C-alpha cells in the first residue's frame, strides 16, 4: 500500500467523537491551519459551556509559533479550565502548549518526552531587512521564553539558558521543571467525560 492509499490515522470521525467529549487532539506538526481550528474549537466549546473543562491532548514535534501563541491566548481567555496531556511527545510548540494548561491540570503519560528549545528561522535579504527580521525574532523569542517562565515558575534566566540547546525531559523531569503537574497513574485522571446530549457536534 502506498502512502497516498493509507487511511488517516486520526480521521475526522474520530476527531468529532472526541470533540463531543470536549477533547481536542494535536497530533503531528502544529501549522497555521490546524492551529486556527484548535483555537476556534476552544472558543466554541467555552461558549457552549463555560463551566466544563476542555482537554487538549498533545503528541507533536512542534510547529508554528504564531499558531501556538494564538492557542495559548484563547486558552487564557476561555472561562473554563483547559487541561493538557502529553501523550508521547511534546516538543517545542507542543511543550509550550502543554505547560500553558490550567495549573493543576497539566498531565503527561509515564513515558512521554518533552523537548524545549528556542527554535530557529532563516534570515535573508538586504541589511535593513535582516535587521528588521532579527528584531522581530528577538521579540518573539523573548515573548515565548517569558511565557514559559511564567507557566513553569522558573526564572527567565534559567529558561533562556536551558533553551539555547535542545533539552529533553522525562515525564518526572518535566514535572520537576514545572511543565506539568502530574504524571498519569490512574485512568480517571484523563478519561474523557461522557458526551453531553446537546453538546457541540452531537447528533440530533
Amino acid at each position: 500500500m502506498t502512502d497516498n492509499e493509507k487511511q488517516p490515522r486520526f480521521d475526522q470521525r474520530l476527531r468529532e467523537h472526541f470533540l463531543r467529549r470536549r477533547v481536542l487532539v494535536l497530533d503531528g506538526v502544529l501549522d497555521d491551519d490546524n492551529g486556527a481550528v484548535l483555537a476556534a474549537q476552544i472558543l466554541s466549546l467555552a461558549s457552549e459551556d463555560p463551566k466544563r473543562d476542555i482537554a487538549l491532548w498533545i503528541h507533536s514535534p512542534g510547529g508554528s509559533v504564531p499558531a501556538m501563541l494564538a492557542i495559548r491566548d484563547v486558552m487564557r481567555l476561555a472561562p473554563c479550565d483547559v487541561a493538557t496531556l502529553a501523550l508521547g511527545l511534546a516538543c517545542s510548540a507542543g511543550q509550550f502548549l502543554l505547560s500553558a494548561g490550567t495549573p493543576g491540570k497539566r498531565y503527561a503519560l509515564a513515558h512521554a518526552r518533552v523537548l524545549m528549545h528556542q527554535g530557529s528561522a532563516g534570515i535573508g535579504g538586504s541589511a535593513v531587512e535582516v535587521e528588521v527580521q532579527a528584531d522581530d525574532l528577538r521579540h518573539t523569542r523573548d515573548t515565548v521564553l517569558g511565557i514559559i517562565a511564567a507557566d513553569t515558575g522558573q526564572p527567565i534566566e534559567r529558561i533562556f539558558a536551558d533553551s539555547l540547546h535542545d533539552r529533553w525531559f522525562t515525564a518526572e523531569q518535566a514535572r520537576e521543571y514545572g511543565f506539568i503537574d502530574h504524571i498519569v497513574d490512574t485512568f480517571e485522571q484523563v478519561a474523557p467525560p461522557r458526551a453531553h446530549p446537546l453538546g457541540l457536534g452531537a447528533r440530533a
Side-chain angles (χ1 to χ4, degrees):
M1 179 179 290
T2 67
D3 289 342
N4 290 335
E5 293 172 331
K6 290 180 181 178
Q7 294 297 316
R9 296 180 180 178
F10 203 93
D11 62 19
Q12 188 60 30
R13 180 183 176 191
L14 191 54
R15 292 181 193 280
E16 291 174 356
H17 168 81
F18 281 111
L19 181 61
R20 290 194 293 271
R21 287 157 175 76
R22 298 176 71 83
V23 175
L24 308 178
V25 181
L26 171 59
D27 59 316
V29 175
L30 176 68
D31 57 34
D32 292 335
D33 290 334
N34 61 11
V37 170
L38 288 171
Q41 288 174 330
I42 292 171
L43 290 172
S44 295
L45 290 170
S47 176
E48 178 196 57
D49 190 336
K51 295 183 179 179
R52 294 176 65 208
D53 286 9
I54 298 169
L56 174 61
W57 293 355
I58 300 165
H59 181 72
S60 173
S64 168
V65 171
M68 77 181 191
L69 288 170
I71 293 170
R72 187 189 184 277
D73 284 345
V74 299
M75 289 169 70
R76 286 294 182 266
L77 287 172
C80 52
D81 290 349
V82 180
T84 53
L85 168 66
L87 295 174
L89 193 65
C91 299
S92 193
Q95 168 268 302
F96 181 88
L97 293 176
L98 175 66
S99 59
T102 299
K105 297 184 177 182
R106 304 173 302 173
Y107 297 84
L109 295 181
H111 293 98
R113 299 296 301 277
V114 177
L115 170 68
M116 179 175 67
H117 67 175
Q118 284 189 25
S120 60
I123 296 179
S126 67
V128 173
E129 290 170 337
V130 168
E131 183 177 355
V132 170
Q133 292 175 60
D135 286 343
D136 183 64
L137 286 174
R138 280 191 291 269
H139 171 75
T140 301
R141 178 202 64 191
D142 293 347
T143 298
V144 170
L145 296 184
I147 290 172
I148 294 174
D151 289 345
T152 60
Q154 295 287 351
I156 184 63
E157 296 80 10
R158 183 177 183 185
I159 296 294
F160 182 87
D162 289 345
S163 68
L164 288 174
H165 304 283
D166 286 0
R167 179 167 180 185
W168 288 94
F169 298 79
T170 64
E172 180 59 40
Q173 290 168 340
R175 178 169 62 180
E176 293 172 356
Y177 201 84
F179 292 130
I180 62 171
D181 306 296
H182 310 285
I183 299 172
V184 177
D185 56 13
T186 67
F187 177 72
E188 289 71 21
Q189 287 176 305
V190 294
R194 295 178 63 87
H196 193 286
L198 297 178
L200 182 68
R203 296 179 181 177

